[in-house]
Amino acid sequence: MNEVSSAPFWLAGNFAPVSEEGSHQELKVSGEIPKDLNGLYVRNGANPPFGKSLDWFLGCGMLHGLDIRDGKPHWYRNRYVQTPLLEQEMPEPKTRSVLANSIANTHVIGHAGKILALAELNMPIEVNDQLETVGPYDFGGKLNGNMTAHPKHCPVTGELLFFGYAMRPPYLTYYRVSADGELIQQEEIAVKGPTMMHDFCITQSKTVFMDLPVIFDMEERAKGGLGIRHDDDYGARFGVMPRDGGSNDVKWFEIEPCYVYHTLNAYDDGDEVVLEGCRMVGYMAKGMVKPPIPVPYQWRMNLKTGAVTERQIDDLGIDFPKVPDALVGQQHRYGYFAEFGKMAPTVEGFHKYDMRSGARQSHMLKNGCSGSEASFVPAARAASEDDGYLMSYIYDPNDDASHLAILNAANLSDDPIAKIHLPVRVPAGFHGSWIEY
Ligand SMILES: [Fe+2]
């Protein structure tokens, strides 16, 4: 690979797309893969098929999957999510506005036996467990709008909760899907305007929406601009709603203006709802040269008094937050994050925060290696919240190839428990899931 490049960061180094789809078996392993790992680790990311794109977020989605059974890697394969946009050199916003024309590059999740590739301005695209595309998925004809790339799976009820936002009214729609995959609730939620809502949260009893001042400007968009800007007059608020409620049930909490791409989690705590996430100040503000760094942050919203207390947990720039799937909406102690480099969103290491004390353990990558988002996978008979593994695709420039690192979540600074070596590289990407067999 060419190390010196004038290309934008998302087309250089390990952000650059790979040119082939492949399937590989008999993968080399260093260390020992825990025997209790049985599942598919699959991660999505932008991989522009013609080698160019206007932005990191605008390349067509490619899935990278590793099938692990009984302590052995079964296969690795990478596949494009097949959509009509793969034919286009640079997918235009106009063609992307067709619901099924998803760029499908942001996340991939499993629910009720389906695997869905997601991008927030379109409907989901179903793939099978071999990562071959099945096609657009509309929950039996019931979904006729966009679906966020960050739905939340409730570990207690098995429900999948999500929303879709849009640049034109209705700006926000909320959905609830049962454990067996039936879309059982759809509600329009009133927000102030076309806010770019990338994520949201659930607790055991509530849904929390983020109505924040990074908005779509349709006039600027019509002139060919990016059409996303910080609106200093918009305000900033979180909306807390019973999970089976509607727009009239939302209780809004004004917060200090900020933007949050990714939440870590939320939970009920007596009269309060606690939300933690990665907070940025001044994102997309006029004159922004580069995005502000997101820092770990906590908001406590008191449903009785209406008061909000805010607290920064640390000043380190981190993102890709995760809690164990079993604690989504439940009280957690630990949060897992990735640290980005100063020049580009290159994952240089991982941190585990004790969100109560702010103490952290770190696993920084060495020898020029760079990572991806990490997923937490619990040990089979986990004795504690952090008894499990962090998994992430790591790129090693020294052999121009990637491996899946399996880290010890309880002692994150330890050397990896195992590495599954791939004969190819996996480009830096976005979000992934561990889908247990
Ligand atoms: Fe995201």
Side-chain angles (χ1 to χ4, degrees):
M1 196 183 337
N2 188 2
E3 291 296 325
V4 182
S5 169
S6 59
F9 81 80
W10 61 90
L11 299 175
N14 195 43
F15 288 94
V18 291
S19 55
E20 285 178 12
E21 294 179 317
S23 301
H24 304 275
Q25 290 168 304
E26 294 176 29
L27 303 166
K28 205 181 115 202
V29 176
S30 7
E32 202 168 319
I33 301 172
K35 295 264 187 301
D36 53 356
L37 287 178
N38 287 287
L40 172 67
Y41 177 65
V42 57
R43 206 220 63 207
N44 208 341
N47 200 90
F50 295 89
K52 50 186 173 181
S53 65
L54 294 168
D55 191 278
W56 188 27
F57 300 127
L58 295 182
C60 287
M62 179 179 271
L63 300 171
H64 299 265
L66 229 170
D67 178 298
I68 303 172
R69 295 166 199 245
D70 303 321
K72 291 195 184 76
H74 199 225
W75 50 254
Y76 160 81
R77 64 181 55 148
N78 63 318
R79 291 289 183 277
Y80 273 112
V81 184
Q82 294 291 327
T83 82
L85 300 183
L86 277 174
E87 310 284 320
Q88 297 179 15
E89 238 177 77
M90 299 256 201
E92 295 294 329
K94 213 184 263 177
T95 51
R96 287 183 61 204
S97 67
V98 177
L99 265 183
N101 281 2
S102 179
I103 207 158
N105 68 4
T106 312
H107 202 348
V108 53
I109 62 147
H111 182 67
K114 306 272 182 202
I115 302 176
L116 304 175
L118 303 170
E120 64 200 32
L121 288 169
N122 295 93
M123 66 203 299
I125 308 290
E126 185 185 353
V127 301
N128 66 19
D129 62 5
Q130 307 295 302
L131 308 185
E132 306 295 349
T133 301
V134 177
Y137 186 71
D138 63 4
F139 294 89
K142 289 185 177 171
L143 176 69
N144 53 13
N146 303 332
M147 176 173 175
T148 175
H150 289 288
K152 296 290 180 274
H153 190 258
C154 174
V156 176
T157 64
E159 291 170 296
L160 187 73
L161 301 107
F162 66 91
F163 66 91
Y165 80 78
M167 298 179 205
R168 299 177 194 286
Y171 294 125
L172 180 63
T173 310
Y174 169 65
Y175 302 91
R176 212 154 50 88
V177 171
S178 67
D180 58 6
E182 193 187 341
L183 200 155
I184 51 175
Q185 188 183 358
Q186 172 173 342
E187 306 282 344
E188 275 182 38
I189 307 293
V191 286
K192 290 184 186 174
T195 178
M196 186 175 77
M197 198 180 298
H198 184 69
D199 196 358
F200 81 133
C201 267
I202 60 166
T203 72
Q204 189 53 55
S205 66
K206 306 288 190 302
T207 295
V208 189
F209 301 108
M210 303 192 289
D211 192 11
L212 301 177
V214 174
I215 62 161
F216 286 94
D217 183 328
M218 300 312 283
E219 265 176 45
E220 199 197 317
R221 212 171 168 83
K223 288 183 208 150
L226 186 58
I228 302 170
R229 64 177 171 84
H230 189 280
D231 184 337
D232 297 343
D233 302 321
Y234 191 88
R237 56 184 194 163
F238 289 154
V240 179
M241 183 185 86
R243 275 180 19 182
D244 59 356
S247 194
N248 292 334
D249 304 314
V250 180
K251 189 172 171 61
W252 290 101
F253 293 84
E254 298 292 326
I255 58 167
E256 290 298 317
C258 65
Y259 190 70
V260 177
Y261 261 109
H262 296 125
T263 62
L264 171 67
N265 196 22
Y267 56 88
D268 299 318
D269 188 11
D271 293 336
E272 293 183 319
V273 166
V274 181
L275 190 156
E276 292 175 347
C278 305
R279 178 183 189 256
M280 306 159 100
V281 176
Y283 182 58
M284 300 308 280
K286 218 173 181 177
M288 181 186 86
V289 179
K290 63 178 201 168
I293 57 166
V295 295
Y297 204 83
Q298 184 191 75
W299 295 261
R300 298 186 83 97
M301 292 163 275
N302 191 305
L303 291 159
K304 279 235 167 92
T305 66
V308 183
T309 49
E310 307 194 11
R311 181 168 74 92
Q312 185 170 321
I313 289 164
D314 197 11
D315 55 6
L316 196 65
I318 42 90
D319 206 305
F320 287 154
K322 286 262 181 167
V323 292
D325 292 345
L327 290 179
V328 170
Q330 311 293 314
Q331 185 157 3
H332 59 272
R333 177 161 186 183
Y334 300 111
Y336 303 91
F337 301 85
E339 180 176 346
F340 288 159
K342 300 258 179 303
M343 304 305 289
T346 309
V347 172
E348 296 188 341
F350 303 99
H351 300 286
K352 169 192 172 188
Y353 276 91
D354 180 331
M355 300 302 283
R356 293 179 203 164
S357 68
R360 69 168 189 252
Q361 286 180 357
S362 304
H363 186 102
M364 298 310 290
L365 298 168
K366 296 174 193 145
N367 304 320
C369 290
S370 57
S372 297
E373 183 193 72
S375 279
F376 177 91
V377 183
R381 279 172 288 281
S384 59
E385 181 181 323
D386 59 352
D387 186 0
Y389 318 103
L390 274 198
M391 270 185 196
S392 175
Y393 286 121
I394 309 291
Y395 170 66
D396 186 341
N398 305 296
D399 51 13
D400 194 23
S402 295
H403 60 264
L404 185 82
I406 301 173
L407 306 177
N408 179 0
N411 288 298
L412 193 60
S413 312
D414 288 0
D415 286 340
I417 295 171
K419 293 179 180 178
I420 303 172
H421 298 273
L422 309 178
V424 292
R425 69 182 180 87
V426 176
F430 304 126
H431 305 290
S433 298
W434 170 253
I435 300 171
E436 210 164 77
Y437 292 133

